[in-house]
Amino acid sequence: MTPSRPTIYFIRHGETDWNLEGRLQGQKDIPLNDVGRVQAEEAGRKLRTLAPHIEDLAYVASPMTRTRETMEILRGTLGLHPETYKLDERLVELTFGSWEGMTWKEVRKAEPSLAALREQDKWHYAPPGGGESYAMLVERIRPVLDDLTRDTVVVAHGGVARAFLAIACNINARQAASMDIWQGRVLVIEGRQHRWV
């Protein structure tokens, strides 16, 4: 029997202007907007109610601006030093290749056949121009999960959350690819179970 994995408190970065406009951010480094900063504070307050010993948790974030800002606001809200956390390059969002910066409406108009292929199999489709599929992302994310040694706060991205859920909670690929990943909330992953707070 394998030992159970530590609890993960997963927080998606707060809103950016590109989120608001429905643009595919991927690995474009877009900062939080005012709503996103408030969401980061909300996530910090929720985390305090979930984890009684916040100072004993590990804290790790994607190195992108929007995730670092979220982590630093969240830690400040908790009364912790804002910049005392680790960065992990493996947690960057999947890349949408040449589609980054476009809305789905623009993608469907510019490349309708490719957009249709992705809709048929979101999990395995890699967008043109060096894009990643969720299946590729899972291979990048799995070692992050394997490396966790204690309960951890992870601040990353929507795609990364879907990969975490597929790996840690055995959620099937089709379902995981379409799950809503909320901003300003905490996704708690304990064993094979998950819940939003």
Side-chain angles (χ1 to χ4, degrees):
M1 186 171 150
T2 54
S4 64
R5 193 176 266 129
T7 298
I8 299 162
Y9 300 97
F10 189 103
I11 294 153
R12 182 184 175 194
H13 62 80
E15 184 183 84
T16 69
D17 286 344
W18 277 25
N19 286 142
L20 190 59
E21 295 163 10
R23 298 195 177 281
L24 300 174
Q25 287 179 122
Q27 294 181 7
K28 294 283 191 240
D29 210 8
I30 312 300
L32 297 183
N33 61 22
D34 289 341
V35 170
R37 287 186 273 279
V38 170
Q39 289 170 333
E41 289 174 10
E42 287 171 1
R45 285 193 294 273
K46 286 176 182 168
L47 185 59
R48 182 177 289 288
T49 68
L50 293 168
H53 303 292
I54 51 165
E55 66 282 356
D56 294 335
L57 301 172
Y59 291 80
V60 61
S62 157
M64 304 196 81
T65 300
R66 58 191 183 267
T67 42
R68 291 196 330 265
E69 280 186 276
T70 300
M71 178 67 92
E72 288 164 21
I73 292 168
L74 174 150
R75 285 181 59 85
T77 302
L78 292 171
L80 300 172
H81 189 289
E83 295 175 15
T84 310
Y85 63 94
K86 291 182 179 170
L87 297 175
D88 192 326
E89 291 279 343
R90 299 171 296 182
L91 291 172
V92 296
E93 181 63 293
L94 58 77
T95 174
F96 288 97
S98 58
W99 292 354
E100 289 189 1
M102 299 170 77
T103 63
W104 279 120
K105 185 177 179 182
E106 290 166 346
V107 170
R108 287 187 197 101
K109 186 174 179 185
E111 303 189 88
S113 60
L114 296 182
L117 284 173
R118 184 177 187 274
E119 287 304 311
Q120 288 168 19
D121 187 1
K122 276 186 185 177
W123 196 258
H124 294 100
Y125 183 79
E132 281 179 291
S133 67
Y134 283 110
M136 294 160 72
L137 178 62
V138 159
E139 294 312 306
R140 171 155 57 85
I141 294 302
R142 190 181 307 278
V144 176
L145 280 165
D146 293 341
D147 289 348
L148 297 180
T149 57
R150 60 188 171 128
D151 294 354
T152 302
V153 176
V154 175
V155 178
H157 308 271
V160 174
R162 293 180 185 103
F164 266 64
L165 288 165
I167 299 165
C169 302
N170 282 345
I171 292 174
N172 74 60
R174 183 173 289 278
Q175 185 184 356
S178 299
M179 290 182 83
D180 287 325
I181 306 298
W182 310 104
Q183 291 165 312
R185 293 176 69 184
V186 181
L187 171 61
V188 183
I189 300 174
E190 296 173 287
R192 298 263 178 223
Q193 305 301 311
H194 72 280
R195 61 192 167 98
W196 283 99
V197 179

